[in-house]
């Protein structure tokens, strides 16, 4: 028999009718009979089985799982793009047309025919709280025509609002959104049918802490959460696969009732305790997932190898010039976040002898290249919703953890695109007049420029020949005085938040006079001005 401490032994022997006797300073156990002990073991095992059956949270169908849901609720919905979305539960709610006036909280609304868009088109959702509209034409049209309200929130703040809601914290302070429409209360919440803004967001409370200005964000607590898990046991313990954790974990903790759809429902104990990502204490119901997993953007490795040399004078190589120059910003051992679009391509030019760890806002550290054909995985996407791979030493985590890294300055550099940049480093890259796609994670990425270097890649002028570097940005700001370097097709500028622009590199066969005509702000020329090297 295994040794027990006196306290533990006392507890068990009293329960079984035996006793302890102290002899010469030592405890001696007077054992109960073998038959009594066996009876106790049988009783304990039987009780364990009864508890297991009694406490099972598995229900027979999604329709059964949502039967108690009524109108006028706040619904938190996990997922990122189409990765990890609880489509089985969404379909069941769509079929329950009596449930209306839903405020839906999610990073985005999926695509036109998948995800929360189904509840938009059915007229059941009256308001969205999200960070990104993206290319979802249904979502965009309904918003701009006044059919739904939209509370745009920076992606990191959205994740943290949910985390706070699940942790009993009513509000908190962040830097993301300071100096932007988020702070001033100028975000359009609702449009009229003819496209006029009839409701704007509320201004944020500002607080100065240690010399820095912060916005107050309020926690989000939902009435119901829809979550998609890879595996769930009958007690509600859940585990997620690869990048499908995203918003699922944090939203699973932030509602009064959490319903999980799982790809596999297993017995308690089949998920190792240290692999449980969402604990059963947060989960109320579990249903079998029956929906097909989809991929929004298939991206594959190019069979064409990247050439070490190229014709930098060829106008067709304009984008590649910018990307190749941006890749020279990488440093060995650094952690880097690459924005959607052109910045993502800079990873193709990381030198072979350099180790750079790429971070993705949706919960990946250690991004690799695009997969080969037929090796794509719907649970493995980047922040642009493209299929990716990961490198040895990579890790996965939730969106709240991803933005904690960003917010705390653990990411050394971010490379982002831009619509406009001001002479003092203000950045505008998320909205145009009459065209609002959402800020996604950009406001969070530029909110700590003291610790996370912000490099912008862009053309020097737009498609109409107008300067993109200006005295002041005209478009809505992403962040203020946050950009430290601007890399364009014809020039590279350093940016100082106090003294402004310095031209440090210029394209071959381009003159300073030509650059001045294409820049809408004053700049100085470095005494060590060089030709851009690719």
């Amino acid at each position: 028999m295994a040794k027990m401490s006196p306290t533990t032994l006392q507890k068990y022997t009293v329960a079984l009718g035996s006793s302890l006797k102290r002899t010469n300073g030592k405890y001696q156990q007077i054992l109960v009979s073998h038959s009594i002990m066996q009876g106790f073991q049988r009783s304990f095992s039987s009780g364990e089985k009864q508890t297991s059956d009694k406490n099972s949270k598995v229900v027979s169908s999604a329709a059964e799982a949502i039967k108690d849901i009524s109108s006028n609720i706040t619904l938190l919905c996990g997922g990122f793009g189409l990765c990890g979305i609880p489509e089985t539960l969404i379909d069941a709610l769509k079929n329950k047309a009596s449930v209306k006036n839903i405020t839906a909280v999610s990073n985005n609304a999926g695509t036109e025919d998948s995800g929360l868009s189904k509840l938009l088109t059915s007229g059941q959702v009256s308001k969205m709280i999200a960070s990104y509209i993206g290319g979802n034409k249904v979502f965009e049209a309904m918003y701009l025509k006044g059919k739904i309200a939209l509370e745009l929130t920076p992606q990191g703040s959205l994740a943290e609002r949910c985390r706070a809601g699940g942790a009993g914290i009513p509000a908190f302070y962040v830097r993301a959104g300071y100096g932007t429409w988020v702070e001033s209360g100028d975000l359009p919440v609702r449009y009229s049918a003819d496209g006029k803004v009839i409701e704007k967001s509320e201004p944020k409370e500002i607080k100065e802490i240690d010399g820095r200005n912060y916005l107050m964000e309020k926690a989000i607590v939902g009435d119901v959460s829809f979550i998609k898990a890879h595996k769930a046991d009958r007690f509600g313990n859940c585990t997620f696969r690869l990048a499908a954790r995203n918003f699922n974990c944090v939203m699973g903790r932030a509602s009064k009732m959490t319903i999980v759809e799982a790809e596999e429902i297993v017995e308690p104990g089949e998920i190792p305790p240290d692999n449980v990502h969402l604990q059963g204490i947060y989960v109320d119901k579990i249903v079998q997932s029956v929906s097909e997993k989809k991929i929004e953007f298939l991206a594959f490795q190019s069979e064409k190898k990247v050439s070490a040399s190229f014709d930098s004078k060829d106008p067709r190589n304009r984008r590649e010039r910018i990307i190749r120059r941006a890749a020279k910003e990488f440093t060995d051992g650094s952690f880097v976040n690459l924005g959607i679009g052109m910045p993502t391509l800079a990873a193709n030019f990381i030198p072979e002898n350099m180790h750079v760890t790429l971070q993705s806002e949706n919960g990946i550290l250690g991004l690799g290249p695009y997969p080969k054909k037929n090796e794509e995985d719907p649970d493995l996407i980047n922040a642009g919703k493209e299929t990716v791979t990961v490198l040895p030493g990579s890790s996965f985590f939730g969106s709240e953890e991803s933005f904690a890294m960003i917010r705390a300055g653990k990411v050394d550099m971010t490379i982002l695109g831009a619509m406009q940049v001001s002479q003092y480093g203000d950045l505008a890259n998320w909205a145009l007049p009459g065209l609002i796609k959402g800020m996604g994670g950009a406001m969070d990425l530029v909110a700590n420029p003291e610790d996370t270097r912000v490099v912008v890649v862009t053309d020097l002028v737009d498609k109409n020949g107008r300067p993109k570097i200006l005295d002041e940005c005209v478009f809505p700001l992403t962040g203020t005085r946050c950009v430290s370097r601007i890399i364009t097709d014809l020039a590279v500028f350093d940016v100082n938040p106090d003294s402004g622009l310095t031209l440090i590199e210029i394209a071959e066969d381009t003159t300073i006079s030509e650059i001045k005509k294409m820049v809408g702000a004053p700049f100085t020329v470095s005494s060590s001005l060089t030709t851009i090297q690719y």
Side-chain angles (χ1 to χ4, degrees), residues 13-30:
T13 54
V14 168
L16 294 172
S18 63
S19 62
L20 290 177
K21 182 170 68 177
R22 189 177 179 92
T23 305
N24 298 326
K26 295 182 180 180
Y27 284 94
Q28 179 181 0
Q29 181 185 14
I30 302 174

Side-chain angles (χ1 to χ4, degrees), residues 8-66:
T8 304
L9 192 56
Q10 180 74 56
K11 179 174 68 176
Y12 279 97
T13 54
V14 168
L16 294 172
S18 63
S19 62
L20 290 177
K21 182 170 68 177
R22 189 177 179 92
T23 305
N24 298 326
K26 295 182 180 180
Y27 284 94
Q28 179 181 0
Q29 181 185 14
I30 302 174
L31 294 175
V32 296
S33 69
H34 180 67
S35 61
I36 294 175
M37 180 63 79
Q38 283 186 320
F40 172 73
Q41 290 174 337
R42 284 195 298 271
S43 174
F44 184 80
S45 299
S46 174
E48 187 179 56
K49 182 65 168 70
Q50 289 172 6
T51 302
S52 174
D53 292 339
K54 179 181 177 183
N55 290 345
S56 176
K57 297 177 180 180
V58 179
V59 296
S60 59
S61 67
E64 174 69 17
I66 69 161

Side-chain angles (χ1 to χ4, degrees), residues 1 9 18 104 108 111 116 142 196 235 247 295 312 320 325 374 387 393 395 397 421 435 441 460:
M1 183 174 180
L9 192 56
S18 63
N108 56 311
T111 58
L116 280 174
M142 292 185 70
K196 296 179 181 178
F235 289 174
F247 276 87
I295 295 173
S312 62
E320 187 170 340
R325 174 58 188 84
N374 301 318
T387 48
S395 58
F397 33 87
V421 185
L435 182 64
L460 192 57

Side-chain angles (χ1 to χ4, degrees), residues 76-93:
L76 276 57
C77 196
F80 186 92
L82 299 182
C83 180
I85 59 171
E87 192 119 46
T88 299
L89 291 169
I90 291 171
D91 286 339
L93 191 56

